[in-house]
Amino acid sequence: MIKLAFCLKRLPALTPMELRDYWFDRHAPLVTKHREVLRIRRYVQMHMTDTAMNAAMRASRGGPEGYDGVAELWWDSIDDIATNDSPEARAAALELLEDERKFIDLARSPLWFGSARAVF
């Protein structure tokens, strides 16, 4: 399995709640709509919780400001992504990107592919 991790920072004009609502209620159905053509096997949203524990954890490690959330997407293989260049897949990917521009600060939101290795 190959996994995409997308660490999201919201656009400055949005509150954390507005981001969570849009991301879950509007964007998630769009990803679901395109899951077959994009060969996505699993999609999970991890929303940051507003808790003092986040600040304490960050401070204890001297870490940077956190993200508003993390999107995780799984595929069977990197080939399922790399070889998926059909007109339908390109159109679906473009539609998702255009929607992401409505709520994600893309310049401040890193994303990368990796393989998960379970420890326990």
Side-chain angles (χ1 to χ4, degrees):
M1 295 288 288
I2 192 78
K3 181 176 176 178
L4 174 75
F6 191 174
C7 301
L8 281 68
K9 293 291 261 181
R10 70 184 183 277
L11 290 174
L14 298 177
T15 67
M17 184 57 78
E18 288 171 331
L19 169 83
R20 287 191 292 269
D21 289 347
Y22 189 93
W23 186 20
F24 189 75
D25 296 330
R26 305 276 308 271
H27 190 71
L30 194 57
V31 176
T32 301
K33 170 185 161 186
H34 294 304
R35 69 185 289 186
E36 295 297 325
V37 71
L38 293 175
R39 303 177 186 164
I40 300 169
R41 301 283 284 165
R42 182 176 164 102
Y43 174 51
V44 174
Q45 295 180 352
M46 188 169 80
H47 299 244
M48 195 249 330
T49 56
D50 187 18
T51 175
M53 286 176 34
N54 282 330
M57 179 83 70
R58 187 171 55 250
S60 74
R61 288 162 170 75
E65 188 67 27
Y67 296 102
D68 293 295
V70 176
E72 299 176 338
L73 295 94
W74 282 262
W75 288 265
D76 286 331
S77 71
I78 197 72
D79 286 341
D80 277 340
I81 304 160
T83 63
N84 193 8
D85 195 35
S86 70
E88 296 83 8
R90 286 194 307 272
L94 180 59
E95 185 175 3
L96 291 174
L97 176 59
E98 288 173 353
D99 193 57
E100 289 166 1
R101 289 182 175 128
K102 296 176 183 176
F103 67 101
I104 301 172
D105 184 342
L106 294 172
R108 295 179 43 223
S109 300
L111 65 161
W112 70 93
F113 291 102
S115 56
R117 296 176 66 187
V119 176
F120 63 86

